[in-house]
Amino acid sequence: MEKFRGTRYNSRWDGSTWFILGLVAACCIVPCFMDDGIWPTIICLVMLALVLVTFFSIYYRIDGDKFVVYTFFIPTAYPIDKIKEIKPTKSVLSSPATSLSHRLAITFTDRKILKSYIPLIISPVRQDEFIRQLLSVNPEIKH
């Protein structure tokens, strides 16, 4: 696996992120008070751990001419010179983004990059700095 360097941007956590975590935690607490044995509690705690690991493992890097998205700590690199447009979105599409309200949709010039027409949706912290850094590599990006 290639090691990427560059500027790291964590995925933004907001009220929606905390709501999802709270909901999962509340659902995990319920089996603790039931008399169904230990297995429901263990399964719920494993599910809570999975959600936490998923949320903590999402982040982004800009490394030279590559934009790298990490999910489950596994990097996927995208060429910055193929980015056509970056715009704010309120889409609830499944994506490597922990926020539901502070999202950016990235559209690429080549459909083969994502193997789809659907944009890549992310939620980096310091969005203005993130966009400026992408524009410094590819000033042709519409925003």
Side-chain angles (χ1 to χ4, degrees):
M1 180 167 34
E2 186 177 349
K3 180 76 172 166
F4 291 98
R5 305 242 184 257
T7 308
R8 178 179 169 145
Y9 295 90
N10 290 327
S11 190
R12 184 175 181 147
W13 286 44
D14 63 4
S16 62
T17 311
W18 291 108
F19 175 75
I20 291 168
L21 287 175
L23 183 64
V24 171
C27 291
C28 289
I29 290 173
V30 170
C32 295
F33 297 107
M34 300 174 96
D35 227 7
D36 293 333
I38 190 89
W39 285 109
T41 303
I42 292 172
I43 291 170
C44 287
L45 291 175
V46 168
M47 296 308 290
L48 179 60
L50 179 66
V51 170
L52 286 171
V53 167
T54 300
F55 278 22
F56 280 114
S57 71
I58 298 173
Y59 63 96
Y60 321 101
R61 282 195 191 277
I62 297 177
D63 182 17
D65 64 343
K66 299 275 188 225
F67 165 56
V68 187
V69 176
Y70 288 82
T71 50
F72 281 110
F73 305 105
I74 299 170
T76 303
Y78 301 99
I80 294 174
D81 63 335
K82 299 285 186 185
I83 295 175
K84 178 172 72 172
E85 182 179 26
I86 300 175
K87 63 181 179 179
T89 184
K90 298 291 184 188
S91 172
V92 292
L93 289 175
S94 177
S95 62
T98 54
S99 172
L100 290 177
S101 57
H102 296 92
R103 294 175 148 207
L104 295 174
I106 298 178
T107 308
F108 292 92
T109 57
D110 189 356
R111 184 179 93 81
K112 294 176 189 169
I113 294 171
L114 287 178
K115 299 172 183 66
S116 163
Y117 287 110
I118 297 173
L120 175 66
I121 298 175
I122 60 170
S123 63
V125 296
R126 308 184 322 269
Q127 286 186 359
D128 293 334
E129 178 186 331
F130 175 80
I131 292 171
R132 275 195 308 274
Q133 190 171 2
L134 287 178
L135 287 170
S136 71
V137 177
N138 180 3
E140 301 294 317
I141 298 173
K142 297 177 194 169
H143 67 285

